[in-house]
Amino acid sequence: MDKQNAPDLELLFELADLFKVFGDSTRLRIMVLISDAELPVNEIAEALNMEQSTISHQLRVLRQNKLVRVRRDGKQMYYSLDDDHVKRIIEMGMDHILE
């Protein structure tokens, strides 16, 4: 890539911020858990053996970064990955470390 085709500096800062979100093992564990099925906070907390408040905080960070979406069903909130891009980023990272 030459200087003329280099991404804008602001875009690179946004990309770095995205990777920071992926840099937390709790958030990664949540994303892997909900990569195939949407789950409510209590089931995520139980599966990861963590407090619901901790999971809720991390889900908030993931939602703010558009990595996770929420669906309300009555009083229950269900979380899933925002789109297939997120799942592919995780899978590509796993492929890289397993090489």
Side-chain angles (χ1 to χ4, degrees):
M1 180 177 305
D2 60 22
K3 286 183 185 180
Q4 293 175 342
N5 294 329
D8 179 65
L9 189 56
E10 184 62 33
L11 186 63
L12 291 176
F13 284 134
E14 288 181 37
L15 182 59
D17 287 341
L18 175 67
F19 284 125
K20 286 178 189 174
V21 176
F22 278 90
D24 181 273
S25 61
T26 298
R27 290 191 289 261
L28 272 175
R29 291 174 67 203
I30 292 168
M31 288 188 289
V32 168
L33 185 63
I34 64 173
S35 65
D36 291 320
E38 62 179 13
L39 293 172
V41 174
N42 63 314
E43 288 184 30
I44 296 169
E46 186 177 314
L48 299 180
N49 197 25
M50 299 180 77
E51 295 291 326
Q52 283 190 32
S53 60
T54 302
I55 298 301
S56 293
H57 171 73
Q58 296 301 340
L59 285 167
R60 191 174 319 110
V61 172
L62 292 168
R63 285 181 62 204
Q64 290 170 342
N65 285 277
K66 299 177 181 136
L67 298 171
V68 166
R69 72 177 134 191
V70 63
R71 178 182 67 83
R72 180 184 292 274
D73 185 12
K75 291 184 178 183
Q76 192 72 274
M77 307 287 272
Y78 291 88
Y79 294 86
S80 61
L81 294 183
D82 190 63
D83 60 33
D84 198 45
H85 292 111
V86 180
K87 188 172 183 176
R88 288 197 326 247
I89 292 168
I90 294 168
E91 289 171 347
M92 288 172 36
M94 291 295 283
D95 289 346
H96 182 73
I97 63 169
L98 292 173
E99 275 185 353

